[in-house]
Amino acid sequence: MSQIVVHDKLFIGGAWVEPAGDQVIEVVSPVTEQVVARVPHAMAADVDKAVAAAREAFDHGPWPRMTPAERIEVVTRIKDGFLARRQEMAELITLQNGSPINFSLTSQTMGPVAVLAASLAAAATTVW
């Protein structure tokens, strides 16, 4: 991946939104010492907005009213979506932190999948 990854918005409350400020974080590859990405620097106002959106979702969104089976279905879709984009995520991890791609593909992408799978297995056997 030789092209610089650029994001100019923050994902808050289920949507891409303009950041409150104009500061940018440059992500530097530890391998090449070149800038590989530019992302918005979230300001306090952005963090407050994200926390408020999370609070709203927790209090009034669908999650707290879902049955355990519905939650298992949602988390399964998250796990499957993560697996479907595993190669892309591994490449970004390698780009950002310089780890070998095989390590990113095995440990750094499969670790979260294993945690989700274990959580799903535990939830499926729990008496609700």
Side-chain angles (χ1 to χ4, degrees), residues 47-57:
V47 174
D48 290 344
K49 190 176 189 179
V51 169
R55 179 83 260 169
E56 177 67 19

Side-chain angles (χ1 to χ4, degrees), residues 85-106:
R85 296 183 68 184
R86 179 174 164 237
Q87 181 70 38
E88 175 188 355
M89 285 192 264
E91 290 172 7
L92 288 170
I93 290 166
T94 293
L95 185 67
Q96 177 183 342
N97 69 19
S99 66
I101 189 68
N102 285 340
F103 182 70
S104 295
L105 280 167
T106 55

Side-chain angles (χ1 to χ4, degrees), residues 9-114:
K9 295 188 168 118
L10 299 168
F11 196 72
I12 299 174
W16 290 100
V17 299
E18 295 292 330
D22 60 359
Q23 293 180 352
V24 173
I25 296 172
E26 291 190 333
V27 180
V28 176
S29 166
V31 175
T32 65
E33 297 184 353
Q34 300 296 312
V35 173
V36 295
R38 290 188 178 90
V39 297
H41 182 280
M43 310 303 287
D46 297 313
V47 174
D48 290 344
K49 190 176 189 179
V51 169
R55 179 83 260 169
E56 177 67 19
F58 184 79
D59 292 341
H60 304 289
W63 188 262
R65 284 169 280 295
M66 286 182 177
T67 66
E70 290 169 325
R71 289 181 180 190
I72 288 170
E73 181 182 326
V74 169
V75 175
T76 299
R77 286 198 322 264
I78 292 168
K79 177 185 66 68
D80 293 346
F82 192 98
L83 275 171
R85 296 183 68 184
R86 179 174 164 237
Q87 181 70 38
E88 175 188 355
M89 285 192 264
E91 290 172 7
L92 288 170
I93 290 166
T94 293
L95 185 67
Q96 177 183 342
N97 69 19
S99 66
I101 189 68
N102 285 340
F103 182 70
S104 295
L105 280 167
T106 55
S107 297
Q108 294 180 315
T109 57
M110 291 310 293
V113 171

